[in-house]
């Protein structure tokens, strides 16, 4: 969505992410770098399309050092997401921008996220929606999200 106003990420970051993926991502990983917007990228060593077992067994301890490096080198926000990935964006950007956009069109909004605590990639949007009296549900995994959605339908 073009009007979410994410600040563009710094030059050189794309090349560094591609080098990182060539060295660090699992050989079987598919789509380990996902550019969601010109100013928002998701990175996962195991890949965006990993199965449930891969997610549950995966060691995501790399994320702390990775985020410290990206933040130090580029001044970006690097937030842990889900069980295997990180979101990278410029300071002032976050998922709350999507909520602001959605609220222009919808009154009844429920957000489901697994990293709604401070430092998690769902924290900004959860805080924003809570302040605007929208529903925020915290789950433990993407698989629990499916269960919640099924119960809502």
């Amino acid at each position: 969505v073009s009007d979410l106003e994410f600040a563009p990420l710094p030059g050189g970051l794309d090349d560094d992410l591609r080098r990182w993926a060539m060295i660090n991502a699992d050989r079987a990983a598919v789509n380990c770098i996902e550019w969601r917007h010109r100013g928002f990228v998701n990175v996962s060593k195991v890949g965006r399309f990993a199965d449930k077992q891969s997610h549950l067994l995966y060691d995501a301890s790399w994320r702390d050092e990775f985020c410290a490096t990206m933040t130090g080198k580029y001044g970006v926000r690097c937030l842990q997401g889900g069980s295997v990935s990180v979101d990278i964006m410029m300071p002032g950007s976050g998922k709350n921008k999507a909520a602001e956009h959605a609220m222009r069109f919808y009154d009844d909004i429920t957000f489901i996220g697994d990293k709604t605590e401070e430092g998690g990639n769902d924290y900004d949007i959860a805080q924003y929606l809570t302040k605007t009296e929208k529903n925020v549900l915290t789950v433990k995994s993407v698989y629990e999200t499916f269960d919640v959605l099924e119960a809502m339908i």
Side-chain angles (χ1 to χ4, degrees), residues 12-71:
L13 178 66
D14 184 41
D15 290 336
D16 275 357
L17 289 176
R18 290 180 197 284
R19 277 191 291 279
W20 171 87
M22 301 255 320
I23 296 167
N24 295 292
D26 287 352
R27 296 219 184 271
V30 175
N31 196 13
C32 61
I33 302 171
E34 179 185 10
W35 288 92
R36 295 183 176 171
H37 189 279
R38 69 186 173 93
F40 193 128
V41 62
N42 179 272
V43 180
S44 170
K45 274 185 163 186
V46 72
R48 301 293 308 142
F49 304 118
D51 61 21
K52 183 177 182 177
Q53 184 165 345
S54 296
H55 275 243
L56 295 174
L57 296 175
Y58 199 73
D59 176 12
S61 61
W62 63 274
R63 298 185 298 177
D64 290 332
E65 183 179 346
F66 178 87
C67 282
T69 300
M70 290 294 115
T71 299

